[in-house]
Amino acid sequence: MLISQEFVVEPYLQSPTWSTMHILWETDSGSESKVEWGIWPALGEVTTGTSISSYGSNKLHTVQLTGLYTSTRYYYRVITGNLTSEIYDFIMPSDPMDEASFKIVAMSDMQQDGANPNKFEEIVHDGILTYMAENYIGDLSSELQMILIPGDLVVSGWVYSEWANTFFEPAHPLFAHVPV
């Protein structure tokens, strides 16, 4: 019997170094944590990771890709049981000795405002994504290297649904390609 699974939080990138990248996601069930990845959209490599229980029966999955090369584009998708994401990409940070340009977006106070409940989504979609598409020749992964959010991500960190619904969901098109 196949169990229907769903993403609670779509894949996102976190904590890059010059040779590693963490890929995280959350599902409503299932403990398998697998990332298929490679330097081509055909992928070819597989790395497994871990999952921990989060809210209810949900599972938070973490896979660390290692041995990656600086300034290289990688493609990936995540798999948990019968649930497979679409293919995303990211570019590893450049070697610091290269003294290459490095673009980051820093934003704060992303918590949902009752008077402007979709402001974070507007900032991500109409602000960052549209701005990058209109002002830079390359794609998002090649033009933006990091998202920095120092605080106030949700109204109440103790309310689980705020994380999935008002933080991760609107940011997914950005966080799937640029590490936060």
Side-chain angles (χ1 to χ4, degrees):
M1 178 177 142
L2 289 176
I3 298 172
S4 176
Q5 294 176 298
E6 293 183 9
F7 286 107
V8 175
V9 174
E10 296 273 351
Y12 61 99
L13 303 170
Q14 195 171 48
S15 303
T17 69
W18 287 274
S19 64
T20 65
M21 180 70 75
H22 288 82
I23 301 173
L24 293 87
W25 69 99
E26 187 172 357
T27 58
D28 62 353
S29 63
S31 59
E32 179 182 36
S33 303
K34 182 166 63 171
V35 173
E36 294 180 337
W37 61 280
I39 58 171
W40 304 104
L43 308 174
E45 303 288 333
V46 176
T47 301
T48 59
T50 61
S51 68
I52 60 170
S53 295
S54 58
Y55 183 76
S57 63
N58 293 356
K59 297 287 186 180
L60 178 62
H61 306 270
T62 304
V63 173
Q64 180 183 20
L65 303 184
T66 60
L68 306 178
Y69 297 101
T70 59
S71 304
T72 302
R73 182 183 304 269
Y74 290 93
Y75 297 87
Y76 73 97
R77 70 177 168 202
V78 304
I79 299 171
T80 299
N82 60 2
L83 183 63
T84 302
S85 75
E86 63 182 81
I87 295 175
Y88 304 104
D89 71 336
F90 63 89
I91 296 179
M92 290 298 294
S94 61
D95 186 313
M97 299 304 288
D98 292 342
E99 297 184 15
S101 294
F102 189 82
K103 294 181 194 86
I104 66 171
V105 168
M107 55 185 159
S108 186
D109 296 330
M110 306 323 306
Q111 74 271 19
Q112 190 173 39
D113 176 356
N116 299 291
N118 298 319
K119 186 53 73 177
F120 181 45
E121 181 175 19
E122 180 184 325
I123 290 168
V124 169
H125 293 267
D126 299 340
I128 299 167
L129 296 175
T130 299
Y131 177 83
M132 295 302 290
E134 291 175 351
N135 293 284
Y136 292 95
I137 296 170
D139 60 276
L140 183 63
S141 296
S142 66
E143 294 296 342
L144 187 58
Q145 287 72 43
M146 182 189 314
I147 305 296
L148 176 65
I149 307 176
D152 292 338
L153 307 179
V154 296
V155 174
S156 175
W158 298 107
V159 179
Y160 174 79
S161 62
E162 289 188 27
W163 289 102
N165 301 330
T166 66
F167 181 70
F168 283 109
E169 185 177 323
H172 171 65
L174 183 58
F175 293 175
H177 299 279
V178 181
V180 62

PDB file of all heavy atoms in Angstrom, residues 15-53:
ATOM      1  N   SER A  15      23.554  26.794   5.022  1.00  0.00           N
ATOM      2  CA  SER A  15      24.903  26.583   5.557  1.00  0.00           C
ATOM      3  C   SER A  15      25.931  26.115   4.529  1.00  0.00           C
ATOM      4  O   SER A  15      26.598  25.098   4.718  1.00  0.00           O
ATOM      5  CB  SER A  15      24.856  25.576   6.714  1.00  0.00           C
ATOM      6  OG  SER A  15      23.978  26.006   7.712  1.00  0.00           O
ATOM      7  N   PRO A  16      26.123  26.882   3.452  1.00  0.00           N
ATOM      8  CA  PRO A  16      27.157  26.465   2.490  1.00  0.00           C
ATOM      9  C   PRO A  16      28.559  26.753   3.022  1.00  0.00           C
ATOM     10  O   PRO A  16      28.762  27.664   3.819  1.00  0.00           O
ATOM     11  CB  PRO A  16      26.869  27.345   1.279  1.00  0.00           C
ATOM     12  CG  PRO A  16      26.287  28.589   1.863  1.00  0.00           C
ATOM     13  CD  PRO A  16      25.477  28.128   3.054  1.00  0.00           C
ATOM     14  N   THR A  17      29.501  25.939   2.591  1.00  0.00           N
ATOM     15  CA  THR A  17      30.924  26.234   2.767  1.00  0.00           C
ATOM     16  C   THR A  17      31.500  26.224   1.352  1.00  0.00           C
ATOM     17  O   THR A  17      30.743  26.181   0.384  1.00  0.00           O
ATOM     18  CB  THR A  17      31.637  25.189   3.643  1.00  0.00           C
ATOM     19  OG1 THR A  17      31.708  23.952   2.922  1.00  0.00           O
ATOM     20  CG2 THR A  17      30.923  24.985   4.976  1.00  0.00           C
ATOM     21  N   TRP A  18      32.817  26.192   1.205  1.00  0.00           N
ATOM     22  CA  TRP A  18      33.385  26.151  -0.134  1.00  0.00           C
ATOM     23  C   TRP A  18      33.362  24.746  -0.717  1.00  0.00           C
ATOM     24  O   TRP A  18      33.697  24.572  -1.871  1.00  0.00           O
ATOM     25  CB  TRP A  18      34.797  26.741  -0.128  1.00  0.00           C
ATOM     26  CG  TRP A  18      34.687  28.219   0.016  1.00  0.00           C
ATOM     27  CD1 TRP A  18      34.512  29.115  -0.999  1.00  0.00           C
ATOM     28  CD2 TRP A  18      34.664  28.966   1.208  1.00  0.00           C
ATOM     29  NE1 TRP A  18      34.374  30.375  -0.500  1.00  0.00           N
ATOM     30  CE2 TRP A  18      34.474  30.318   0.869  1.00  0.00           C
ATOM     31  CE3 TRP A  18      34.774  28.649   2.558  1.00  0.00           C
ATOM     32  CZ2 TRP A  18      34.400  31.333   1.797  1.00  0.00           C
ATOM     33  CZ3 TRP A  18      34.707  29.669   3.498  1.00  0.00           C
ATOM     34  CH2 TRP A  18      34.522  30.983   3.109  1.00  0.00           C
ATOM     35  N   SER A  19      32.931  23.747   0.062  1.00  0.00           N
ATOM     36  CA  SER A  19      32.851  22.395  -0.492  1.00  0.00           C
ATOM     37  C   SER A  19      31.629  21.611  -0.027  1.00  0.00           C
ATOM     38  O   SER A  19      31.488  20.446  -0.375  1.00  0.00           O
ATOM     39  CB  SER A  19      34.120  21.602  -0.138  1.00  0.00           C
ATOM     40  OG  SER A  19      34.204  21.426   1.270  1.00  0.00           O
ATOM     41  N   THR A  20      30.732  22.237   0.744  1.00  0.00           N
ATOM     42  CA  THR A  20      29.544  21.531   1.219  1.00  0.00           C
ATOM     43  C   THR A  20      28.303  22.408   1.095  1.00  0.00           C
ATOM     44  O   THR A  20      28.390  23.631   1.084  1.00  0.00           O
ATOM     45  CB  THR A  20      29.669  21.103   2.702  1.00  0.00           C
ATOM     46  OG1 THR A  20      29.729  22.274   3.522  1.00  0.00           O
ATOM     47  CG2 THR A  20      30.882  20.231   2.929  1.00  0.00           C
ATOM     48  N   MET A  21      27.150  21.755   1.008  1.00  0.00           N
ATOM     49  CA  MET A  21      25.864  22.435   1.006  1.00  0.00           C
ATOM     50  C   MET A  21      24.873  21.532   1.725  1.00  0.00           C
ATOM     51  O   MET A  21      24.838  20.323   1.488  1.00  0.00           O
ATOM     52  CB  MET A  21      25.380  22.698  -0.418  1.00  0.00           C
ATOM     53  CG  MET A  21      24.042  23.409  -0.495  1.00  0.00           C
ATOM     54  SD  MET A  21      24.095  25.136   0.030  1.00  0.00           S
ATOM     55  CE  MET A  21      24.907  25.882  -1.381  1.00  0.00           C
ATOM     56  N   HIS A  22      24.081  22.121   2.606  1.00  0.00           N
ATOM     57  CA  HIS A  22      23.014  21.394   3.281  1.00  0.00           C
ATOM     58  C   HIS A  22      21.700  21.641   2.539  1.00  0.00           C
ATOM     59  O   HIS A  22      21.390  22.781   2.190  1.00  0.00           O
ATOM     60  CB  HIS A  22      22.851  21.862   4.726  1.00  0.00           C
ATOM     61  CG  HIS A  22      23.962  21.431   5.611  1.00  0.00           C
ATOM     62  ND1 HIS A  22      25.157  22.096   5.691  1.00  0.00           N
ATOM     63  CD2 HIS A  22      24.066  20.373   6.457  1.00  0.00           C
ATOM     64  CE1 HIS A  22      25.947  21.487   6.554  1.00  0.00           C
ATOM     65  NE2 HIS A  22      25.312  20.434   7.020  1.00  0.00           N
ATOM     66  N   ILE A  23      20.962  20.568   2.306  1.00  0.00           N
ATOM     67  CA  ILE A  23      19.644  20.656   1.689  1.00  0.00           C
ATOM     68  C   ILE A  23      18.651  20.095   2.700  1.00  0.00           C
ATOM     69  O   ILE A  23      18.826  18.990   3.206  1.00  0.00           O
ATOM     70  CB  ILE A  23      19.587  19.874   0.364  1.00  0.00           C
ATOM     71  CG1 ILE A  23      20.642  20.426  -0.601  1.00  0.00           C
ATOM     72  CG2 ILE A  23      18.185  19.932  -0.235  1.00  0.00           C
ATOM     73  CD1 ILE A  23      20.808  19.636  -1.873  1.00  0.00           C
ATOM     74  N   LEU A  24      17.625  20.892   3.001  1.00  0.00           N
ATOM     75  CA  LEU A  24      16.629  20.506   3.990  1.00  0.00           C
ATOM     76  C   LEU A  24      15.238  20.569   3.377  1.00  0.00           C
ATOM     77  O   LEU A  24      15.004  21.330   2.436  1.00  0.00           O
ATOM     78  CB  LEU A  24      16.681  21.441   5.204  1.00  0.00           C
ATOM     79  CG  LEU A  24      17.938  21.374   6.050  1.00  0.00           C
ATOM     80  CD1 LEU A  24      19.010  22.301   5.511  1.00  0.00           C
ATOM     81  CD2 LEU A  24      17.625  21.733   7.486  1.00  0.00           C
ATOM     82  N   TRP A  25      14.318  19.789   3.928  1.00  0.00           N
ATOM     83  CA  TRP A  25      12.912  19.825   3.550  1.00  0.00           C
ATOM     84  C   TRP A  25      12.129  19.126   4.639  1.00  0.00           C
ATOM     85  O   TRP A  25      12.686  18.456   5.498  1.00  0.00           O
ATOM     86  CB  TRP A  25      12.671  19.211   2.178  1.00  0.00           C
ATOM     87  CG  TRP A  25      12.867  17.723   2.073  1.00  0.00           C
ATOM     88  CD1 TRP A  25      11.898  16.764   2.096  1.00  0.00           C
ATOM     89  CD2 TRP A  25      14.119  17.023   1.905  1.00  0.00           C
ATOM     90  NE1 TRP A  25      12.471  15.509   1.960  1.00  0.00           N
ATOM     91  CE2 TRP A  25      13.823  15.653   1.841  1.00  0.00           C
ATOM     92  CE3 TRP A  25      15.446  17.426   1.806  1.00  0.00           C
ATOM     93  CZ2 TRP A  25      14.818  14.684   1.677  1.00  0.00           C
ATOM     94  CZ3 TRP A  25      16.424  16.464   1.648  1.00  0.00           C
ATOM     95  CH2 TRP A  25      16.105  15.118   1.579  1.00  0.00           C
ATOM     96  N   GLU A  26      10.814  19.299   4.616  1.00  0.00           N
ATOM     97  CA  GLU A  26       9.960  18.661   5.618  1.00  0.00           C
ATOM     98  C   GLU A  26       8.788  18.004   4.914  1.00  0.00           C
ATOM     99  O   GLU A  26       8.217  18.566   3.978  1.00  0.00           O
ATOM    100  CB  GLU A  26       9.455  19.703   6.609  1.00  0.00           C
ATOM    101  CG  GLU A  26       8.701  19.096   7.782  1.00  0.00           C
ATOM    102  CD  GLU A  26       8.364  20.113   8.853  1.00  0.00           C
ATOM    103  OE1 GLU A  26       8.753  21.292   8.724  1.00  0.00           O
ATOM    104  OE2 GLU A  26       7.701  19.716   9.821  1.00  0.00           O
ATOM    105  N   THR A  27       8.462  16.786   5.376  1.00  0.00           N
ATOM    106  CA  THR A  27       7.336  16.044   4.820  1.00  0.00           C
ATOM    107  C   THR A  27       6.348  15.703   5.925  1.00  0.00           C
ATOM    108  O   THR A  27       6.681  15.747   7.105  1.00  0.00           O
ATOM    109  CB  THR A  27       7.812  14.743   4.146  1.00  0.00           C
ATOM    110  OG1 THR A  27       8.518  13.946   5.112  1.00  0.00           O
ATOM    111  CG2 THR A  27       8.724  15.037   2.965  1.00  0.00           C
ATOM    112  N   ASP A  28       5.149  15.324   5.513  1.00  0.00           N
ATOM    113  CA  ASP A  28       4.136  14.961   6.504  1.00  0.00           C
ATOM    114  C   ASP A  28       4.290  13.523   6.996  1.00  0.00           C
ATOM    115  O   ASP A  28       3.623  13.119   7.939  1.00  0.00           O
ATOM    116  CB  ASP A  28       2.733  15.199   5.956  1.00  0.00           C
ATOM    117  CG  ASP A  28       2.404  14.353   4.735  1.00  0.00           C
ATOM    118  OD1 ASP A  28       3.298  13.654   4.195  1.00  0.00           O
ATOM    119  OD2 ASP A  28       1.238  14.397   4.300  1.00  0.00           O
ATOM    120  N   SER A  29       5.176  12.751   6.372  1.00  0.00           N
ATOM    121  CA  SER A  29       5.465  11.383   6.804  1.00  0.00           C
ATOM    122  C   SER A  29       6.709  10.892   6.062  1.00  0.00           C
ATOM    123  O   SER A  29       7.167  11.517   5.128  1.00  0.00           O
ATOM    124  CB  SER A  29       4.279  10.458   6.513  1.00  0.00           C
ATOM    125  OG  SER A  29       4.040  10.387   5.117  1.00  0.00           O
ATOM    126  N   GLY A  30       7.225   9.766   6.499  1.00  0.00           N
ATOM    127  CA  GLY A  30       8.366   9.145   5.834  1.00  0.00           C
ATOM    128  C   GLY A  30       9.692   9.642   6.363  1.00  0.00           C
ATOM    129  O   GLY A  30       9.873  10.827   6.602  1.00  0.00           O
ATOM    130  N   SER A  31      10.625   8.716   6.549  1.00  0.00           N
ATOM    131  CA  SER A  31      11.920   9.090   7.119  1.00  0.00           C
ATOM    132  C   SER A  31      13.062   9.045   6.106  1.00  0.00           C
ATOM    133  O   SER A  31      14.164   9.481   6.416  1.00  0.00           O
ATOM    134  CB  SER A  31      12.248   8.189   8.315  1.00  0.00           C
ATOM    135  OG  SER A  31      12.283   6.847   7.909  1.00  0.00           O
ATOM    136  N   GLU A  32      12.824   8.545   4.896  1.00  0.00           N
ATOM    137  CA  GLU A  32      13.889   8.502   3.896  1.00  0.00           C
ATOM    138  C   GLU A  32      14.311   9.930   3.544  1.00  0.00           C
ATOM    139  O   GLU A  32      13.483  10.798   3.279  1.00  0.00           O
ATOM    140  CB  GLU A  32      13.410   7.792   2.631  1.00  0.00           C
ATOM    141  CG  GLU A  32      14.476   7.732   1.553  1.00  0.00           C
ATOM    142  CD  GLU A  32      13.975   7.077   0.275  1.00  0.00           C
ATOM    143  OE1 GLU A  32      12.798   7.258  -0.092  1.00  0.00           O
ATOM    144  OE2 GLU A  32      14.789   6.397  -0.369  1.00  0.00           O
ATOM    145  N   SER A  33      15.610  10.163   3.545  1.00  0.00           N
ATOM    146  CA  SER A  33      16.167  11.477   3.225  1.00  0.00           C
ATOM    147  C   SER A  33      17.237  11.274   2.157  1.00  0.00           C
ATOM    148  O   SER A  33      18.374  10.944   2.461  1.00  0.00           O
ATOM    149  CB  SER A  33      16.779  12.115   4.471  1.00  0.00           C
ATOM    150  OG  SER A  33      15.826  12.225   5.492  1.00  0.00           O
ATOM    151  N   LYS A  34      16.852  11.490   0.912  1.00  0.00           N
ATOM    152  CA  LYS A  34      17.765  11.224  -0.193  1.00  0.00           C
ATOM    153  C   LYS A  34      17.769  12.406  -1.148  1.00  0.00           C
ATOM    154  O   LYS A  34      16.724  12.975  -1.458  1.00  0.00           O
ATOM    155  CB  LYS A  34      17.313   9.954  -0.927  1.00  0.00           C
ATOM    156  CG  LYS A  34      18.214   9.550  -2.069  1.00  0.00           C
ATOM    157  CD  LYS A  34      17.951   8.146  -2.567  1.00  0.00           C
ATOM    158  CE  LYS A  34      16.586   7.946  -3.151  1.00  0.00           C
ATOM    159  NZ  LYS A  34      16.429   6.640  -3.824  1.00  0.00           N
ATOM    160  N   VAL A  35      18.968  12.773  -1.602  1.00  0.00           N
ATOM    161  CA  VAL A  35      19.123  13.812  -2.612  1.00  0.00           C
ATOM    162  C   VAL A  35      19.842  13.207  -3.808  1.00  0.00           C
ATOM    163  O   VAL A  35      20.919  12.626  -3.667  1.00  0.00           O
ATOM    164  CB  VAL A  35      19.916  15.027  -2.073  1.00  0.00           C
ATOM    165  CG1 VAL A  35      20.221  16.020  -3.193  1.00  0.00           C
ATOM    166  CG2 VAL A  35      19.153  15.717  -0.952  1.00  0.00           C
ATOM    167  N   GLU A  36      19.230  13.333  -4.972  1.00  0.00           N
ATOM    168  CA  GLU A  36      19.886  12.997  -6.227  1.00  0.00           C
ATOM    169  C   GLU A  36      20.438  14.313  -6.757  1.00  0.00           C
ATOM    170  O   GLU A  36      19.740  15.326  -6.769  1.00  0.00           O
ATOM    171  CB  GLU A  36      18.902  12.391  -7.225  1.00  0.00           C
ATOM    172  CG  GLU A  36      18.357  11.060  -6.785  1.00  0.00           C
ATOM    173  CD  GLU A  36      17.377  10.457  -7.771  1.00  0.00           C
ATOM    174  OE1 GLU A  36      16.782  11.207  -8.581  1.00  0.00           O
ATOM    175  OE2 GLU A  36      17.195   9.238  -7.719  1.00  0.00           O
ATOM    176  N   TRP A  37      21.700  14.303  -7.206  1.00  0.00           N
ATOM    177  CA  TRP A  37      22.327  15.553  -7.598  1.00  0.00           C
ATOM    178  C   TRP A  37      23.417  15.320  -8.624  1.00  0.00           C
ATOM    179  O   TRP A  37      23.830  14.185  -8.864  1.00  0.00           O
ATOM    180  CB  TRP A  37      22.884  16.280  -6.370  1.00  0.00           C
ATOM    181  CG  TRP A  37      23.938  15.501  -5.617  1.00  0.00           C
ATOM    182  CD1 TRP A  37      23.720  14.492  -4.711  1.00  0.00           C
ATOM    183  CD2 TRP A  37      25.346  15.641  -5.729  1.00  0.00           C
ATOM    184  NE1 TRP A  37      24.918  14.012  -4.250  1.00  0.00           N
ATOM    185  CE2 TRP A  37      25.931  14.703  -4.845  1.00  0.00           C
ATOM    186  CE3 TRP A  37      26.172  16.476  -6.460  1.00  0.00           C
ATOM    187  CZ2 TRP A  37      27.308  14.579  -4.708  1.00  0.00           C
ATOM    188  CZ3 TRP A  37      27.541  16.355  -6.317  1.00  0.00           C
ATOM    189  CH2 TRP A  37      28.097  15.410  -5.426  1.00  0.00           C
ATOM    190  N   GLY A  38      23.892  16.402  -9.213  1.00  0.00           N
ATOM    191  CA  GLY A  38      24.990  16.320 -10.166  1.00  0.00           C
ATOM    192  C   GLY A  38      25.223  17.658 -10.837  1.00  0.00           C
ATOM    193  O   GLY A  38      24.519  18.631 -10.570  1.00  0.00           O
ATOM    194  N   ILE A  39      26.192  17.688 -11.747  1.00  0.00           N
ATOM    195  CA  ILE A  39      26.514  18.932 -12.449  1.00  0.00           C
ATOM    196  C   ILE A  39      25.683  19.093 -13.721  1.00  0.00           C
ATOM    197  O   ILE A  39      25.822  20.091 -14.420  1.00  0.00           O
ATOM    198  CB  ILE A  39      28.022  19.041 -12.766  1.00  0.00           C
ATOM    199  CG1 ILE A  39      28.490  17.879 -13.611  1.00  0.00           C
ATOM    200  CG2 ILE A  39      28.827  19.159 -11.482  1.00  0.00           C
ATOM    201  CD1 ILE A  39      29.917  18.031 -14.137  1.00  0.00           C
ATOM    202  N   TRP A  40      24.830  18.133 -14.008  1.00  0.00           N
ATOM    203  CA  TRP A  40      23.915  18.193 -15.146  1.00  0.00           C
ATOM    204  C   TRP A  40      22.509  17.909 -14.642  1.00  0.00           C
ATOM    205  O   TRP A  40      22.336  17.200 -13.640  1.00  0.00           O
ATOM    206  CB  TRP A  40      24.292  17.159 -16.210  1.00  0.00           C
ATOM    207  CG  TRP A  40      25.698  17.288 -16.683  1.00  0.00           C
ATOM    208  CD1 TRP A  40      26.758  16.491 -16.356  1.00  0.00           C
ATOM    209  CD2 TRP A  40      26.217  18.304 -17.539  1.00  0.00           C
ATOM    210  NE1 TRP A  40      27.895  16.936 -16.962  1.00  0.00           N
ATOM    211  CE2 TRP A  40      27.596  18.054 -17.705  1.00  0.00           C
ATOM    212  CE3 TRP A  40      25.660  19.395 -18.193  1.00  0.00           C
ATOM    213  CZ2 TRP A  40      28.410  18.853 -18.487  1.00  0.00           C
ATOM    214  CZ3 TRP A  40      26.474  20.191 -18.979  1.00  0.00           C
ATOM    215  CH2 TRP A  40      27.829  19.912 -19.116  1.00  0.00           C
ATOM    216  N   PRO A  41      21.478  18.391 -15.325  1.00  0.00           N
ATOM    217  CA  PRO A  41      20.101  18.100 -14.899  1.00  0.00           C
ATOM    218  C   PRO A  41      19.769  16.608 -14.877  1.00  0.00           C
ATOM    219  O   PRO A  41      18.814  16.199 -14.233  1.00  0.00           O
ATOM    220  CB  PRO A  41      19.243  18.845 -15.930  1.00  0.00           C
ATOM    221  CG  PRO A  41      20.113  19.946 -16.427  1.00  0.00           C
ATOM    222  CD  PRO A  41      21.522  19.376 -16.410  1.00  0.00           C
ATOM    223  N   ALA A  42      20.580  15.782 -15.528  1.00  0.00           N
ATOM    224  CA  ALA A  42      20.366  14.337 -15.477  1.00  0.00           C
ATOM    225  C   ALA A  42      20.767  13.761 -14.114  1.00  0.00           C
ATOM    226  O   ALA A  42      20.519  12.591 -13.831  1.00  0.00           O
ATOM    227  CB  ALA A  42      21.144  13.645 -16.589  1.00  0.00           C
ATOM    228  N   LEU A  43      21.426  14.560 -13.291  1.00  0.00           N
ATOM    229  CA  LEU A  43      21.844  14.220 -11.925  1.00  0.00           C
ATOM    230  C   LEU A  43      22.926  13.147 -11.958  1.00  0.00           C
ATOM    231  O   LEU A  43      23.976  13.375 -12.500  1.00  0.00           O
ATOM    232  CB  LEU A  43      20.637  13.870 -11.056  1.00  0.00           C
ATOM    233  CG  LEU A  43      19.515  14.935 -11.091  1.00  0.00           C
ATOM    234  CD1 LEU A  43      18.293  14.469 -10.324  1.00  0.00           C
ATOM    235  CD2 LEU A  43      20.009  16.266 -10.596  1.00  0.00           C
ATOM    236  N   GLY A  44      22.719  11.997 -11.333  1.00  0.00           N
ATOM    237  CA  GLY A  44      23.721  10.940 -11.378  1.00  0.00           C
ATOM    238  C   GLY A  44      24.303  10.546 -10.034  1.00  0.00           C
ATOM    239  O   GLY A  44      24.730   9.415  -9.855  1.00  0.00           O
ATOM    240  N   GLU A  45      24.371  11.463  -9.094  1.00  0.00           N
ATOM    241  CA  GLU A  45      24.892  11.158  -7.760  1.00  0.00           C
ATOM    242  C   GLU A  45      23.720  11.028  -6.782  1.00  0.00           C
ATOM    243  O   GLU A  45      22.662  11.624  -6.987  1.00  0.00           O
ATOM    244  CB  GLU A  45      25.815  12.273  -7.271  1.00  0.00           C
ATOM    245  CG  GLU A  45      26.985  12.571  -8.165  1.00  0.00           C
ATOM    246  CD  GLU A  45      28.039  11.484  -8.134  1.00  0.00           C
ATOM    247  OE1 GLU A  45      28.146  10.785  -7.104  1.00  0.00           O
ATOM    248  OE2 GLU A  45      28.755  11.341  -9.132  1.00  0.00           O
ATOM    249  N   VAL A  46      23.934  10.264  -5.705  1.00  0.00           N
ATOM    250  CA  VAL A  46      22.924  10.116  -4.659  1.00  0.00           C
ATOM    251  C   VAL A  46      23.604  10.235  -3.304  1.00  0.00           C
ATOM    252  O   VAL A  46      24.632   9.603  -3.062  1.00  0.00           O
ATOM    253  CB  VAL A  46      22.205   8.743  -4.739  1.00  0.00           C
ATOM    254  CG1 VAL A  46      21.227   8.576  -3.584  1.00  0.00           C
ATOM    255  CG2 VAL A  46      21.488   8.600  -6.075  1.00  0.00           C
ATOM    256  N   THR A  47      23.040  11.058  -2.434  1.00  0.00           N
ATOM    257  CA  THR A  47      23.533  11.188  -1.067  1.00  0.00           C
ATOM    258  C   THR A  47      22.339  11.071  -0.127  1.00  0.00           C
ATOM    259  O   THR A  47      21.287  11.663  -0.376  1.00  0.00           O
ATOM    260  CB  THR A  47      24.233  12.543  -0.846  1.00  0.00           C
ATOM    261  OG1 THR A  47      25.327  12.649  -1.757  1.00  0.00           O
ATOM    262  CG2 THR A  47      24.746  12.683   0.573  1.00  0.00           C
ATOM    263  N   THR A  48      22.513  10.277   0.914  1.00  0.00           N
ATOM    264  CA  THR A  48      21.454  10.130   1.905  1.00  0.00           C
ATOM    265  C   THR A  48      21.794  10.928   3.156  1.00  0.00           C
ATOM    266  O   THR A  48      22.946  11.260   3.399  1.00  0.00           O
ATOM    267  CB  THR A  48      21.231   8.656   2.277  1.00  0.00           C
ATOM    268  OG1 THR A  48      22.443   8.126   2.796  1.00  0.00           O
ATOM    269  CG2 THR A  48      20.768   7.844   1.077  1.00  0.00           C
ATOM    270  N   GLY A  49      20.762  11.228   3.914  1.00  0.00           N
ATOM    271  CA  GLY A  49      20.950  12.003   5.136  1.00  0.00           C
ATOM    272  C   GLY A  49      20.087  11.463   6.244  1.00  0.00           C
ATOM    273  O   GLY A  49      19.830  10.256   6.313  1.00  0.00           O
ATOM    274  N   THR A  50      19.613  12.353   7.072  1.00  0.00           N
ATOM    275  CA  THR A  50      18.853  11.964   8.244  1.00  0.00           C
ATOM    276  C   THR A  50      17.520  12.694   8.296  1.00  0.00           C
ATOM    277  O   THR A  50      17.321  13.692   7.610  1.00  0.00           O
ATOM    278  CB  THR A  50      19.630  12.284   9.536  1.00  0.00           C
ATOM    279  OG1 THR A  50      19.860  13.696   9.576  1.00  0.00           O
ATOM    280  CG2 THR A  50      20.949  11.542   9.580  1.00  0.00           C
ATOM    281  N   SER A  51      16.635  12.187   9.127  1.00  0.00           N
ATOM    282  CA  SER A  51      15.382  12.889   9.400  1.00  0.00           C
ATOM    283  C   SER A  51      15.124  12.822  10.896  1.00  0.00           C
ATOM    284  O   SER A  51      15.549  11.882  11.570  1.00  0.00           O
ATOM    285  CB  SER A  51      14.218  12.274   8.624  1.00  0.00           C
ATOM    286  OG  SER A  51      13.917  10.984   9.113  1.00  0.00           O
ATOM    287  N   ILE A  52      14.461  13.848  11.378  1.00  0.00           N
ATOM    288  CA  ILE A  52      14.036  13.874  12.776  1.00  0.00           C
ATOM    289  C   ILE A  52      12.563  14.234  12.813  1.00  0.00           C
ATOM    290  O   ILE A  52      12.038  14.856  11.888  1.00  0.00           O
ATOM    291  CB  ILE A  52      14.857  14.882  13.617  1.00  0.00           C
ATOM    292  CG1 ILE A  52      14.700  16.305  13.068  1.00  0.00           C
ATOM    293  CG2 ILE A  52      16.319  14.470  13.684  1.00  0.00           C
ATOM    294  CD1 ILE A  52      15.279  17.384  13.956  1.00  0.00           C
ATOM    295  N   SER A  53      11.905  13.825  13.859  1.00  0.00           N
ATOM    296  CA  SER A  53      10.499  14.187  14.023  1.00  0.00           C
ATOM    297  C   SER A  53      10.399  15.667  14.300  1.00  0.00           C
ATOM    298  O   SER A  53      11.216  16.242  15.020  1.00  0.00           O
ATOM    299  CB  SER A  53       9.879  13.408  15.183  1.00  0.00           C
ATOM    300  OG  SER A  53       9.857  12.037  14.885  1.00  0.00           O
TER     301      SER A  53
END
